[in-house]
Amino acid sequence: MLRLTKKVQRQAKKNLSRHNRTGKLDASIFARVIHRGGVPIGQVGTPLKYGLYLDRGTGIYGPRGRPIVPVRAKYLRFTTRTGQVVYAKSVRGIRPTKFLSSSLDVLKA
């Protein structure tokens, strides 16, 4: 069982490689086997909250299918990688990468 969970973990890290900038999410992906009622259950995941958002998508691409809008302000404010400050009334969000959910396909092969 542990061998299978490690295989899924390796595939998840491989799927993430093109979306990985800092390596923090890659390093946080774990694989473990727990026992519930004498039944072994393999778990592969990450404790980082943004891993879920990267896997499932956000905004119009996410589960709710709505743009991201400010809750307590008129505009969203964020800084780009180049240091430019951007203000927006709404953003579309990010497309799902499915780096984790698609890694289960390795078990079908």
Side-chain angles (χ1 to χ4, degrees):
M1 178 61 77
L2 183 60
R3 195 175 86 240
L4 292 175
T5 55
K6 291 285 188 186
K7 189 174 183 179
V8 173
Q9 178 190 31
R10 280 191 303 275
Q11 185 62 43
K13 288 183 177 198
K14 188 185 292 186
N15 294 346
L16 183 63
S17 64
R18 67 172 183 243
H19 304 286
N20 198 6
R21 276 189 260 154
T22 64
K24 187 175 180 182
L25 183 59
D26 186 301
S28 74
I29 296 174
F30 63 84
R32 64 180 172 219
V33 177
I34 62 169
H35 296 276
R36 287 203 182 132
V39 178
I41 300 171
Q43 290 183 333
V44 177
T46 177
L48 300 178
K49 190 175 181 179
Y50 71 90
L52 179 67
Y53 300 133
L54 192 61
D55 187 58
R56 293 188 181 167
T58 61
I60 63 172
Y61 308 109
R64 294 185 183 167
R66 297 186 308 226
I68 300 168
V69 296
V71 176
R72 293 184 285 276
K74 261 184 145 172
Y75 298 98
L76 297 168
R77 179 187 186 273
F78 53 94
T79 308
T80 64
R81 280 188 243 166
T82 60
Q84 180 183 8
V85 177
V86 177
Y87 294 92
K89 286 200 177 233
S90 69
V91 293
R92 291 187 306 236
I94 61 167
R95 287 186 168 88
T97 62
K98 299 188 181 192
F99 75 93
L100 197 54
S101 52
S102 67
S103 64
L104 292 173
D105 293 342
V106 77
L107 296 179
K108 294 177 185 174

